[in-house]
Amino acid sequence: MFFLKYASRSEVVNCVSNNVKSRIPTLKNTRTVYNYIDIDFIENKANEKISDDSSFLDSSKKHLVAIGRFVHEKNFAFLLEAYNLYIQNNPNTMLHFLGDGELRNSLEELTTKLDLNAHVNFLGFIDNPYKYIKNADLVCMTSHFEGLPTVVIESAVLGTPVIATKCGASELLELFGFPNEIEFDAKAYASEITNALAAKFKPVDRKLFEENFSFDNFLNSMK
């Protein structure tokens, strides 16, 4: 209510995505302005070598990555449940969590309960996630809600596909040619892991990033 009261008095309200804009239909003075993404910085950081985690260097396995704080909104317990279904027929995989937070202990306990310790790797907070994204086979999102999930953009920059639940990522998934959002159903999510790892995704044209997420585009959109 507080936001709507003062936003309605503003000349224009900038939304970080079309999804956010659609959630405030009562406001008519809205527009979408995507955040600026530093593509060169991401690419340069991604070129750093992974030397601090031997399990990620095992080329005989497929590597899945999940990034974010261990909080309810990220829904990582759901990811573990789905991943548990997936590995029943696909044991040569590893799921790597990049992040930390208040739910870490409960997620580790669930990992043990599901007998996934040999397949799940808790890396903690990582200062440079880009090198992991670049070398991963798939990035997994299971959030309840996202404004503008920049990890989808960063993954597309680095040529790594993303799958996501119905969290507000649809416009980015469509833009980059990634699979559609998935229902909050563990079996459906596990199936999409299989499909995504088997699929061939076309590299995203750099021009697409420049048209949507460059600093010039950000400034022009703010005029």
Side-chain angles (χ1 to χ4, degrees):
M1 291 295 293
F2 177 85
F3 166 77
L4 292 176
K5 177 181 178 181
Y6 287 95
S8 62
R9 300 177 183 176
S10 301
E11 182 177 341
V12 64
V13 175
N14 295 318
C15 302
V16 296
S17 68
N18 292 324
N19 175 57
V20 171
K21 181 179 176 180
S22 70
R23 288 173 177 264
I24 46 176
T26 56
L27 293 179
K28 305 304 180 184
N29 56 336
T30 58
R31 66 183 179 187
T32 297
V33 179
Y34 285 139
N35 293 333
Y36 161 57
I37 303 295
D38 191 338
I39 299 172
D40 292 329
F41 174 79
I42 292 171
E43 290 177 333
N44 288 334
K45 293 295 288 184
N47 287 330
E48 294 181 5
K49 291 184 177 181
I50 297 177
S51 57
D52 50 358
D53 190 87
S54 59
S55 66
F56 208 99
L57 302 176
D58 187 349
S59 60
S60 68
K61 296 182 178 180
K62 294 289 187 180
H63 296 277
L64 284 58
V65 165
I67 304 168
R69 283 190 52 75
F70 295 164
V71 292
H72 171 74
E73 291 76 11
K74 296 300 181 183
N75 202 21
F76 286 143
F78 170 82
L79 177 55
L80 285 171
E81 297 283 358
Y83 181 65
N84 183 48
L85 296 177
Y86 168 75
I87 67 161
Q88 302 306 315
N89 297 312
N90 304 275
N92 286 332
T93 61
M94 285 290 296
L95 171 60
H96 306 268
F97 283 103
L98 280 62
D100 215 332
E102 60 196 52
L103 297 181
R104 176 162 184 160
N105 287 343
S106 64
L107 290 171
E108 290 178 336
E109 289 172 0
L110 179 57
T111 299
T112 300
K113 179 181 178 181
L114 296 173
D115 196 23
L116 292 175
N117 287 322
H119 300 278
V120 175
N121 183 20
F122 289 91
L123 284 160
F125 173 77
I126 298 295
D127 185 55
N128 175 14
Y130 306 116
K131 59 183 178 180
Y132 289 92
I133 294 174
K134 180 180 179 179
N135 290 283
D137 296 286
L138 183 66
V139 172
C140 297
M141 286 182 56
T142 51
S143 302
H144 289 292
F145 174 77
E146 295 279 351
L148 182 75
T150 54
V151 68
V152 178
I153 307 169
E154 294 161 348
S155 299
V157 168
L158 299 174
T160 303
V162 179
I163 60 171
T165 46
K166 289 194 170 184
C167 62
S170 59
E171 66 195 86
L172 294 181
L173 298 175
E174 182 179 352
L175 181 66
F176 300 131
F178 294 150
N180 295 331
E181 288 183 322
I182 311 161
E183 297 287 348
F184 289 94
D185 177 272
K187 187 175 180 179
Y189 198 94
S191 178
E192 196 54 56
I193 293 175
T194 301
N195 295 338
L197 288 176
K200 299 293 183 182
F201 296 94
K202 294 181 180 179
V204 180
D205 192 326
R206 186 181 179 91
K207 185 178 180 180
L208 188 64
F209 298 108
E210 294 171 349
E211 290 175 347
N212 289 278
F213 308 104
S214 68
F215 190 62
D216 286 342
N217 180 71
F218 175 77
L219 289 179
N220 290 332
S221 297
M222 293 292 285
K223 291 179 180 178

